[in-house]
Amino acid sequence: MATPIPDEVGMLYDALIDSASVTMGKNLHFGYWESPDSDLSFDEATDLLTDLLTERLHVGPDSRLLDVGCGVGTPGVRIARLSGAEVTGISVSKEQVERANALARSQTSACRAEFHQANAMELPFPDASFDAVVALESMIHMPDRGQVLREIRRVLRPGGRLALTDFHERTPLPPAHRAVVDVMLKDLMSTMVQVDDYPRLLRTAGFQFTEMRDISEETLRRTFQTLTERAAEMPTEVLDKLDWKSDPKDMIDVAGFGYLLVVAERPRADDRS
Ligand SMILES: C[S@@+](CC[C@H](N)C(=O)[O-])C[C@H]1O[C@@H](n2cnc3c(N)ncnc32)[C@H](O)[C@@H]1O
């Protein structure tokens, strides 16, 4: 899998700004359904995933939260609105940051959220300036997850929490499935981790590991089914312009591909910068 280049990822999301709002909707991440018969719509299920991460961050009106890879601002604005926290979001996509700030401006003044174009590999914030960090499906695009985790630890205060989601290989992929996954990862300029990478990555970056949950069953099948239906409704000229080689339909039955929820804390006794 090729290493993603942040500027190119930013250009990809700039180019996707309208088509992604048709396929993915307002959140650019997978949905979460507690059971196969849950009747949540796709939009509700993607909001639920935001809420599952937020509740693990223990944030309230006195908290400052960083959203790493903020998309068009839907998760950050939701967190600001529902928790009262002051939210700062970053994305490498200029277009996304403009949409995210427009969304923030459309809220009441009680909703404190602002968004900037920045690269998570070099966070433009002082040490210990946030109480919590959320990274919803943005680690998939990072050239070096270890570097981003070190940066996140640096900007978190001791005792501050991180919640993220990421793609992982949950069981070894047979060659036919590996080929399907590789095509999707290439189109998305992303990579996945191995099932046991996170405990080591977090420890090395100076985090205390709190929770790791494989939420593939709750997220993948219905998201890929929804994307398959929505892709079928996209105008051909939009699809031709994207020139993607992958098809969400091919991912529906790839059991070895997985989706992870990870929570960690910067140790309270850690006052290193
Ligand atoms: C799959 S989208 C998720 C967006 C948002 N978290 C959401 O859930 O709606 C991935 C996001 O990560 C951002 N991203 C990718 N690489 C990045 C980097 N190196 N630095 C900052 N943001 C990055 C993209 O621009 C995009 O906003």
Side-chain angles (χ1 to χ4, degrees):
M1 283 178 284
T3 304
I5 300 167
D7 284 350
E8 290 183 7
V9 175
M11 285 190 278
L12 172 71
Y13 277 104
D14 283 349
L16 286 179
I17 193 89
D18 291 319
S19 53
S21 70
V22 177
T23 50
M24 296 298 295
K26 56 194 185 122
N27 290 303
L28 302 180
H29 60 248
F30 283 57
Y32 184 97
W33 293 267
E34 270 164 4
S35 66
D37 55 3
S38 157
D39 56 11
L40 289 188
S41 69
F42 185 61
D43 278 351
E44 289 166 339
T46 55
D47 279 343
L48 177 57
L49 185 60
T50 304
D51 296 346
L52 284 180
L53 268 70
T54 311
E55 72 195 27
R56 287 162 166 77
L57 292 170
H58 304 170
V59 286
D62 295 332
S63 313
R64 295 149 305 161
L65 176 139
L66 174 65
D67 182 358
V68 170
C70 60
V72 290
T74 313
V77 164
R78 181 174 178 83
I79 296 169
R81 211 162 33 77
L82 298 184
S83 72
E86 185 180 335
V87 172
T88 303
I90 62 152
S91 166
V92 277
S93 159
K94 181 169 169 287
E95 300 281 341
Q96 285 187 336
V97 169
E98 278 171 19
R99 296 264 172 121
N101 279 319
L103 178 65
R105 282 194 299 273
S106 71
Q107 310 294 308
T108 66
S109 59
C111 172
R112 298 172 298 160
E114 61 173 42
F115 301 91
H116 307 277
Q117 191 179 13
N119 181 359
M121 298 280 288
E122 297 166 1
L123 290 172
F125 305 109
D127 297 351
S129 47
F130 293 98
D131 302 291
V133 175
V134 67
L136 259 159
E137 241 169 86
S138 55
M139 295 302 279
I140 63 169
H141 298 295
M142 300 303 168
D144 179 348
R145 286 174 172 82
Q147 163 72 11
V148 174
L149 290 173
R150 282 192 294 282
E151 276 293 87
I152 292 174
R153 187 198 61 90
R154 180 182 67 73
V155 303
L156 266 178
R157 65 158 170 80
R161 292 188 139 223
L162 162 68
L164 63 85
T165 58
D166 204 340
F167 294 160
H168 75 135
E169 186 171 348
R170 63 201 296 233
T171 53
L173 289 162
H177 281 175
R178 179 168 298 280
V180 168
V181 170
D182 282 350
V183 174
M184 182 199 69
L185 294 175
K186 186 162 184 261
D187 277 348
L188 287 177
M189 295 188 186
S190 52
T191 62
M192 63 181 170
V193 291
Q194 294 306 303
V195 67
D196 50 2
D197 280 346
Y198 261 99
R200 176 187 52 77
L201 278 168
L202 289 166
R203 210 176 33 251
T204 310
F207 277 99
Q208 194 173 307
F209 179 60
T210 305
E211 180 183 357
M212 182 167 85
R213 246 184 88 194
D214 183 323
I215 53 169
S216 310
E217 301 299 332
E218 292 87 350
T219 52
L220 296 183
R221 171 169 287 273
R222 283 178 72 172
T223 297
F224 285 127
Q225 281 170 340
T226 304
L227 296 180
T228 302
E229 286 157 22
R230 292 187 177 179
E233 286 159 20
M234 292 271 276
T236 332
E237 58 273 22
V238 176
L239 291 173
D240 287 350
K241 218 160 98 189
L242 288 175
D243 192 28
W244 277 12
K245 311 289 183 236
S246 58
D247 185 337
K249 174 164 52 62
D250 299 335
M251 289 295 299
I252 293 174
D253 291 312
V254 178
F257 178 75
Y259 197 89
L260 267 186
L261 184 160
V262 176
V263 185
E265 185 175 309
R266 177 172 173 174
R268 283 176 194 278
D270 175 9
D271 55 5
R272 289 175 294 156
S273 60

